[in-house]
Amino acid sequence: MITNRAIFLAFLVLSLCICATSQSILGFTPTSATRETEIETKFKSIPTPDEERRQHRIFTQEPHPAGSKRNNELAEYIRDEWKKQGLEDIVIHRYDVYGTNPKSASLEMISPRHYKALLRETPLPGDDDSKNSAISGAWLGMSISGEVTAPVIYAHSGNPEDYDLLRKNGISVKGKIVLVRYSNPYSYRGFKALTAQREGAAAMLVYSDPQEDGYKKGKVDPDGPWGPEYHIQRGAITYDFMVPGDPQTPGWASIPGAKRIPIEDAVSAPKIMALPLSWHDAKPFLENMDGPVAPKDWQGALGFDYHLGSDRLKAHLNIEMDNGLQPYYVVEGRIRGSELPDEWVVMGNHRDAWVFGGVDPSSGTASMMELTRALGELKQQGIRPRRTLIVCSWDGEEIGLTGSTEWGEQFADDLRAKAVAYINVDEATSGPAFHGQAVASLAPMLEEATRSLQDPSGKTLYAAWKEVIEREKKEGSQSSQFSSSGVVNETLADTRIGSGSDHTVFLNFIGMPVLGLGFEGDYGVYHSAYDDFYWMNRFGDPGYKYHTLMTQLWGVTALRLANADLLPFNFATYATNIRQFVNDLARSNQLSLATAPQNFVILSAARSNERAESKDPVLAVDLTNVNHAIDDFEAAGKKLNASLASNLSTAPIDPQLAATLNHGMMQVERNWLNPDGIPGRPWFKHILYGARYTYAHLELPGLTEAVEKQDWPTAKQQAEILERALHNNTQLLRDLNQRLQP
Ligand SMILES: [Zn+2]
């Protein structure tokens, strides 16, 4: 017994020594890594679940949609808290944007029977907030005002192929009201609205079928996390996949007095009426429709056959919106860097919520308030980051990523010169499953950071994350041909980044590397009044442990980026990802390798055999040069990795040299921008990352869209742009590497 104990103690002492001496962190010299570990240990000890909960309660006390009095008061609250916490240079930025607020909405079935839609959510037993009289009725941001009496047609998910099926059944939706449903996998409702508009529909109703987020999934609120009968998924239908932000200032900031284009000319402003429904309100419509029975995969969980509809069922819809100009407020605070104040690590979370925003976004807002408290406390202890930390509370994210877009557009030049990275937290937690997104060059540093944190399950966050990914891979491989997960090769981080949150302007317009962090779980009350404090305390994160862990993770990643001697970018990983993107493009478009004559298509060696067997070669685009350019970029990235590592191990590093290297590495992401943007969407300038109209990730957006349209001249041009950017970045990495040679 004594012997065992002695051995154990000796082992313990030994392992502590090993930990203390062998601590290495990407981008840090051994001395700096020791210091960084001390700082992080202090930092991680500050946030508490009680404080997370207290902040969460403040933000979820009242509904606070964009532009509301309450949301503006919360901006002032954040400013005042940040002052107390010790943040610096605190500013509230005002943007005057195209407003979209509901005045009134009504929906009635007038034949074959009468039904007046409730358009409201009923209180839930036990959840006092659900009785709040300030809860809005059903509405969708950016719906136009109008009035129509017309037949109602069921159009499933409202995707283009759904209308094709209706046409095959002889059903036109011109001038009619289409009833569509929220779908799984998620498809942005703005794309459904654009599709309905293109089809000539007069209006779109979108409802939550229990199949997708209700009783078919499990117990519903208040007995479980899924959406109850009356829950309404609000949301915006802005066409921000064309250009986000204020529709009247595309590409520039809506500072007071800014030039504004007429709303009729704004490509991101919908031209259709739209309204969301609970399944309670959708049911009478679906039940009373006739016409052909809808196909099997159009059926839902309401317990009767869904029909496509005819002219028999008619409804009267009236929507009135207030579109006056209104101010949105972005709160910005900083902790100035002690050594490199002109290198910026930017962080942000949106403040506006559809109603209370229990998960979306107030879980993130609570995590942010604890983050700033902890950073402020470090500062009071004399521990400043080497680089400047900037924290922002965005406004109007829910309307069109508006606040972050306007702020990013306003400070684009500064950001392009100074920004290291942007770390976004929107929904901090709806459950225990971690999901981390990263531009591929930052995937290794994000993974490394998760190894230093403890998940509430007792494992490291890294181990818990790995389990999540493995589980999803298993589930994904059963349900689809290609894994739905964005995980490329061995990285846990999802390196396929679409749109739908505030990272968009930083990645796609400014060219900053981005990280996106969130814990996820069963969550059926999204954008409804039931996404509130009660739900979070019952289902989402009852002990606020994941909120706390989010604060820790957010801070550790920010501090590492802020304190690193040499920025922890890994461009070899980036190259591997780009190669994967190109291979996936070839595979999913059945392009194959050029063993065949010139002019034939592309790529991946794995497919070359099939190419040889294929009898009908597709005239396409030759990506051989792109592939070679990726190889060169990868080789340069590997060499730079090795040189950086060896220089870090033989510290200290000359500050002048460090500055040159860091600025060079910051330039890599900027070099992926094409100033002309992707074809048809000039605001989206990144050539590796874009988003589909559904918000889904879209890699190599210009090239991919051209290939999908079989527009080969454009595809060729886009391939050349990609090739040039790869060459530029390869040259840049080689130059940097040169400077590291003794
Ligand atoms: Zn959100």
Side-chain angles (χ1 to χ4, degrees), residues 349-350 352 359-361 397-398 425-427 500-502 526-527:
N349 156 266
H350 73 90
D352 61 305
V359 171
D360 181 10
E397 186 272 353
E398 296 292 2
V425 175
D426 185 327
E427 302 168 5
S501 195
D502 290 307
Y526 169 70
H527 286 187

Side-chain angles (χ1 to χ4, degrees), residues 433-688:
F434 180 65
H435 285 86
Q437 286 199 319
V439 157
S441 54
L442 287 179
M445 81 79 64
L446 175 59
E447 289 173 19
E448 187 192 56
T450 61
R451 290 179 189 273
S452 72
L453 291 157
Q454 208 184 1
D455 187 78
S457 63
K459 305 178 194 83
T460 65
L461 176 55
Y462 179 84
W465 186 11
K466 198 158 182 230
E467 281 180 11
V468 170
I469 298 298
E470 276 160 8
R471 193 171 63 231
E472 286 179 355
K473 265 188 188 158
K474 237 181 253 164
E475 288 162 4
S477 62
Q478 283 165 2
S479 62
S480 83
Q481 187 187 353
F482 306 122
S483 168
S484 61
S485 153
V487 174
V488 173
N489 296 334
E490 294 307 304
T491 65
L492 293 185
D494 179 0
T495 58
R496 297 169 195 273
I497 303 173
S499 183
S501 195
D502 290 307
H503 61 277
T504 305
V505 70
F506 302 107
L507 178 63
N508 301 100
F509 185 77
I510 294 170
M512 283 163 62
V514 300
L515 297 173
L517 312 174
F519 290 92
E520 297 170 15
D522 293 345
Y523 175 42
V525 297
Y526 169 70
H527 286 187
S528 79
Y530 308 127
D531 180 12
D532 64 1
F533 186 69
Y534 174 88
W535 189 94
M536 183 59 75
N537 281 272
R538 280 293 302 273
F539 312 113
D541 186 17
Y544 284 81
K545 288 179 184 163
Y546 290 94
H547 282 75
T548 311
L549 179 54
M550 176 56 75
T551 297
Q552 292 173 328
L553 174 63
W554 202 352
V556 167
T557 49
L559 286 168
R560 289 187 180 188
L561 288 166
N563 291 334
D565 296 292
L566 300 176
L567 293 169
F569 291 115
N570 187 327
F571 300 111
T573 304
Y574 216 150
T576 312
N577 272 258
I578 299 168
R579 182 179 296 114
Q580 183 84 45
F581 296 166
V582 173
N583 288 345
D584 288 354
L585 168 68
R587 185 178 59 178
S588 56
N589 289 279
Q590 311 206 323
L591 303 177
S592 41
L593 226 200
T595 53
Q598 263 299 338
N599 274 351
F600 288 165
V601 203
I602 329 190
L603 349 182
S604 100
R607 303 284 292 193
S608 57
N609 295 337
E610 290 169 40
R611 166 79 267 144
E613 285 160 25
S614 168
K615 289 192 188 81
D616 50 338
V618 186
L619 184 68
V621 53
D622 188 345
L623 294 184
T624 313
N625 291 344
V626 167
N627 271 342
H628 288 156
I630 294 170
D631 293 344
D632 291 346
F633 180 56
E634 185 175 44
K638 280 184 179 160
K639 278 188 187 150
L640 182 63
N641 283 350
S643 302
L644 291 169
S646 100
N647 271 263
L648 284 165
S649 66
T650 56
I653 294 166
D654 170 55
Q656 199 64 50
L657 175 63
T660 306
L661 291 167
N662 288 332
H663 280 267
M665 289 194 281
M666 283 155 67
Q667 188 58 38
V668 172
E669 199 68 35
R670 273 35 132 203
N671 287 349
W672 301 127
L673 295 192
N674 173 11
D676 296 336
I678 61 179
R681 293 192 277 170
W683 188 92
F684 285 87
K685 300 185 187 301
H686 207 293
I687 61 173
L688 304 179

Side-chain angles (χ1 to χ4, degrees), residues 686-700:
H686 207 293
I687 61 173
L688 304 179
Y689 287 109
R692 293 193 184 271
Y693 288 16
T694 57
Y695 280 168
H697 62 87
L698 171 64
E699 289 72 50
L700 313 172

